[in-house]
Amino acid sequence: MTAREISSEHEAVGAYALGVLDVVEAAAFEQHMAGCDACAEQLEEFMRLEPLLGMMAEAAPASDWESSRLYAQPDARVLDRLVDVVVTERRTKRRRGLYLVAAAAALIVGGPLAATAITSEDAGSSVALPHAHSTSPAEDAFFNHMDRKTAATDPVSKAVATVGTETKSWGTHAVLELKNVKGPLKCSLIAVSKTGNEEVVTSWSVPKWGYGLPASTDERGKNPLYVHGGTGMAPNDIDHFEVRTSDGKQLVSIDA
């Protein structure tokens, strides 16, 4: 192997899947794998990572310089680390090992992406994983990226809504936090301009268990709804937002 020596034929699966074995080594491993069901099964699991890596490559916003790194051969030190994770985790927990291998492979694809350390309690080791939000994109934007927020409670429907807005070159990015709404319903967030023009920012369905109901017997119904969308109106041109049902009923109006 070009990056490091593999101490056992069984441990060459990761290197083979990454395509870093030379012709002789690859042929030797293939001959070994022909009579080793365990290696064949591990290789099949490794190859399932290919669609994941492809999606990450397509989704990652990269400059020309970053793109050249994205498809470059993995650095030997990173490869060593990946193979080490394969070997260690396969010896502990098979299922958990595959998860960490996927995370380590993501490091190769992600390049400069931010990462956070996740510690293995049962293996006593750690591996850097790409940072992932524990919240939805809408919820993350609501709490971390909104320039302004306004809230309102409707005296009739009792719906509680907060709209966060963020100025964009194309208009306004808006996020809605909605509580105390029972379903099933189909709703839309409408931006109303100071001249009376209207634009639909986003639409969604309220399931039967509802959103933001603290007394709900269904745990899902206790959580608020977070949805986001955009309008071509500039923030200064928006008079207010309205949450309406599909039949035109206003649930709540929120000043911009």
Side-chain angles (χ1 to χ4, degrees):
M1 179 177 169
T2 56
R4 73 194 294 267
E5 290 185 0
I6 300 295
S7 58
S8 166
E9 287 179 305
H10 297 286
E11 297 171 3
V13 182
Y16 182 84
L18 289 172
V20 296
L21 297 178
D22 61 30
V23 176
V24 175
E25 291 168 334
F29 176 75
E30 289 170 352
Q31 182 176 3
H32 162 77
M33 185 173 59
C36 181
D37 292 339
C39 283
E41 183 179 353
Q42 289 182 26
L43 179 62
E44 181 181 356
E45 291 182 345
F46 267 101
M47 300 313 292
R48 292 174 187 167
L49 294 176
E50 185 176 354
L52 171 64
L53 302 182
M55 286 189 293
M56 293 178 66
E58 291 177 2
S63 63
D64 292 341
W65 174 79
E66 289 171 333
S67 296
S68 65
R69 290 185 60 193
L70 190 64
Y71 298 101
Q73 183 76 359
D75 180 87
R77 292 170 297 177
V78 179
L79 177 61
D80 284 348
R81 185 178 187 182
L82 174 60
V83 176
D84 286 339
V85 171
V86 175
V87 174
T88 301
E89 295 302 327
R90 279 297 179 184
R91 288 173 178 170
T92 53
K93 283 189 175 182
R94 178 172 172 270
R95 179 182 61 82
R96 188 175 174 282
L98 182 59
Y99 171 77
L100 290 179
V101 167
L107 284 177
I108 297 174
V109 175
L113 291 178
T116 180
I118 302 298
T119 301
S120 164
E121 295 180 358
D122 52 348
S125 61
S126 63
V127 60
L129 303 179
H131 179 67
H133 295 297
S134 59
T135 59
S136 69
E139 187 173 353
D140 174 67
F142 181 82
F143 287 106
N144 299 309
H145 302 291
M146 295 295 101
D147 301 327
R148 174 181 169 82
K149 294 177 185 176
T150 56
T153 300
D154 189 89
V156 178
S157 72
K158 307 301 181 183
V160 180
T162 301
V163 174
T165 55
E166 179 184 21
T167 303
K168 294 291 188 180
S169 59
W170 44 261
T172 302
H173 176 207
V175 182
L176 171 70
E177 178 191 66
L178 186 63
K179 303 176 182 178
N180 205 32
V181 175
K182 298 179 180 179
L185 289 174
K186 289 186 178 181
C187 303
S188 297
L189 178 65
I190 311 294
V192 183
S193 75
K194 294 176 180 178
T195 59
N197 293 327
E198 298 182 354
E199 288 186 13
V200 176
V201 176
T202 186
S203 299
W204 65 94
S205 293
V206 180
K208 61 182 180 180
W209 52 83
Y211 287 114
L213 300 166
S216 175
T217 56
D218 191 314
E219 286 298 319
R220 295 170 293 182
K222 296 180 180 180
N223 298 319
L225 168 71
Y226 293 94
V227 290
H228 64 153
T231 171
M233 299 179 189
N236 291 338
D237 294 332
I238 301 174
D239 180 72
H240 66 280
F241 293 91
E242 294 182 11
V243 176
R244 298 179 193 164
T245 63
S246 58
D247 60 4
K249 178 183 177 182
Q250 179 180 295
L251 291 181
V252 61
S253 176
I254 314 99
D255 290 337

